[in-house]
Amino acid sequence: MACGVMLGTLAFWKLTDYMDKVRDEFMLLSVVREIRDAYIDEVPRSVLVDNAIRGVVAGLDNHSSYLDEDALALMEEDTLGHFGGIGVELELVDGYFTIVSPYDGGPAARAGIRAGDRLVEVDHESLRGRSLTETINGLRGEPGTAVHVRVRRRAATSLDFDLKRDTITVPSVHGRALGGGIGYVRVSQFNDTTGDDLAVVVAGLRAGDGLTGLILDLRNNPGGLLNAAVDVADAFLGRGVIVSTTGRQPVSERRYDANPGDLLEGAPMAVLINGGSASASEIVAAALKDHDRATVLGTKSYGKGSVQSVMYFRDTRAIKLTTARYLTPDGHSLQAEGVAPDVAVTPRDDEASGAYDERLLAAATTAVMGG
């Protein structure tokens, strides 16, 4: 009898929960219908639905977003790896359009725009009220065309830049020998070919003067594909966990382990990071740090430790939804925490970027030679 009462109570609560969900969804539909029928101006139903979805997603985190036709086109451009623009990775952070990282060699980087700058105007028009997609569309355009941007740096300091758009081809991997058997490898993003590109670059350095140590530069690397990050970390780790993901759905629970083998055969490493190192670059830095495979130098990384999944509802409509979080080999979340360097090397206020690079490389070289 007691068992029957318990089962009956459980069924009642399940039914109550189901009815609550139905009422909530019906209320949302009722609001859309009321606006469609009673608002002073006629609004197409497709616009109302788009706005409703956009509003629901906007209440989530900074990395979840509604992807309409324009936003999907931007995402496809990023996947192809080339487009016309000023060369910045832009995100909405605490309500501000924030430059996560300027791409190496792009118009923004050449002009002196930095990671952390807040974009406030494009072509002398305030960005207040604009969406992230609208803002990115305003920055992109035909190579050779002019665009004026205003950024806010630190407190209330505003800086103006007159830029010419260029064809932005986001590089993946390049390297050079620094002398004394020390190699330098720069990974600017993580795409489909990054793992293979890295292997080719390292092989070329080894075939030259040989490699007794390597400096891996992940500064201003906004991230990219998770599998590419796993490939890069795996290239230098012979065993152990690289990264794991955790979320509400069982499919979100995954673990990525290193395979035997090390491109450097145990030669010491240093990894360079800064506030523009995000997502996939943080996965690599954390994995090499947690396994004591490399000394991490520079400044604290960005702190994007979440996984986004793209869910398509129509051919031209989708949502990018945060579905999981990354965990480092030591079990720590990267979200909002980032990776702290083993050796902090902070740029001085009056220090030119070239002078800082030299000082940071000198510190990394010392760490590698002492490793």
Side-chain angles (χ1 to χ4, degrees), residues 54 81 104-105 138 152 172 187 225 251 256 273 296 331 335 340:
R54 190 176 286 110
D104 288 347
R152 188 159 293 141
S172 180
V187 179
L225 300 178
V251 70
Y256 300 83
I273 60 171
V296 179
Q335 184 63 26

Side-chain angles (χ1 to χ4, degrees), residues 62-74:
N62 291 332
H63 306 298
S64 296
S65 59
Y66 174 55
L67 303 175
D68 58 16
E69 189 170 1
D70 289 339
L72 278 173
L74 286 175

Side-chain angles (χ1 to χ4, degrees), residues 77-90:
E77 282 185 1
D78 291 339
T79 302
L80 290 173
H82 57 83
F83 50 85
I86 66 170
V88 293
E89 179 78 10
L90 193 70

Side-chain angles (χ1 to χ4, degrees), residues 120-349:
V120 293
E121 287 184 11
V122 173
D123 283 335
H124 306 284
E125 292 187 4
S126 171
L127 299 179
R128 191 169 298 171
R130 291 196 193 181
S131 68
L132 182 60
T133 299
E134 290 169 337
T135 301
I136 294 174
N137 276 331
L139 294 174
R140 293 189 179 180
E142 288 297 317
T145 57
V147 60
H148 176 273
V149 300
R150 172 173 287 183
V151 302
R152 188 159 293 141
R153 185 173 295 168
R154 295 192 179 92
T157 304
S158 293
L159 301 172
D160 291 279
F161 298 89
D162 289 302
L163 307 173
K164 275 194 176 180
R165 296 182 179 92
D166 201 350
T167 299
I168 307 300
T169 301
V170 184
S172 180
V173 183
H174 66 266
R176 67 180 190 271
L178 298 180
I182 307 299
Y184 169 89
V185 172
R186 165 80 176 148
V187 179
S188 298
Q189 69 158 354
F190 292 89
N191 60 29
D192 283 328
T193 65
T194 300
D196 293 336
D197 294 343
L198 175 71
V200 171
V201 170
V202 171
L205 290 171
R206 295 189 67 181
D209 297 333
L211 277 180
T212 58
L214 184 74
I215 298 171
L216 180 65
D217 192 349
L218 300 177
R219 291 177 297 161
N220 295 326
N221 181 324
L225 300 178
L226 170 60
N227 288 339
V230 170
D231 288 343
V232 170
D234 193 9
F236 306 113
L237 294 172
R239 59 185 177 83
V241 180
I242 294 172
V243 66
S244 59
T245 61
T246 182
R248 293 175 61 197
Q249 299 293 328
V251 70
S252 300
E253 303 291 331
R254 299 197 64 179
R255 167 176 159 156
Y256 300 83
D257 293 294
N259 296 300
D262 175 355
L263 287 182
L264 299 179
E265 297 180 355
M269 289 184 66
V271 176
L272 309 183
I273 60 171
N274 65 3
S277 305
S279 191
S281 56
E282 295 176 286
I283 289 172
V284 174
L288 298 178
K289 179 182 179 180
D290 284 1
H291 286 292
D292 295 321
R293 181 64 187 88
T295 301
V296 179
L297 300 94
T299 58
K300 189 176 179 181
S301 66
Y302 181 75
K304 182 185 180 297
S306 56
V307 183
Q308 281 71 47
S309 302
V310 178
M311 303 171 180
Y312 290 84
F313 294 96
R314 299 180 194 167
D315 290 342
T316 58
R317 298 292 187 273
I319 60 172
K320 183 170 67 173
L321 190 67
T322 298
T323 55
R325 287 192 173 90
Y326 297 122
L327 298 179
T328 71
D330 284 353
H332 298 126
S333 173
L334 292 168
Q335 184 63 26
E337 297 298 325
V339 179
D342 298 307
V343 179
V345 183
T346 306
R348 304 183 183 110
D349 289 339

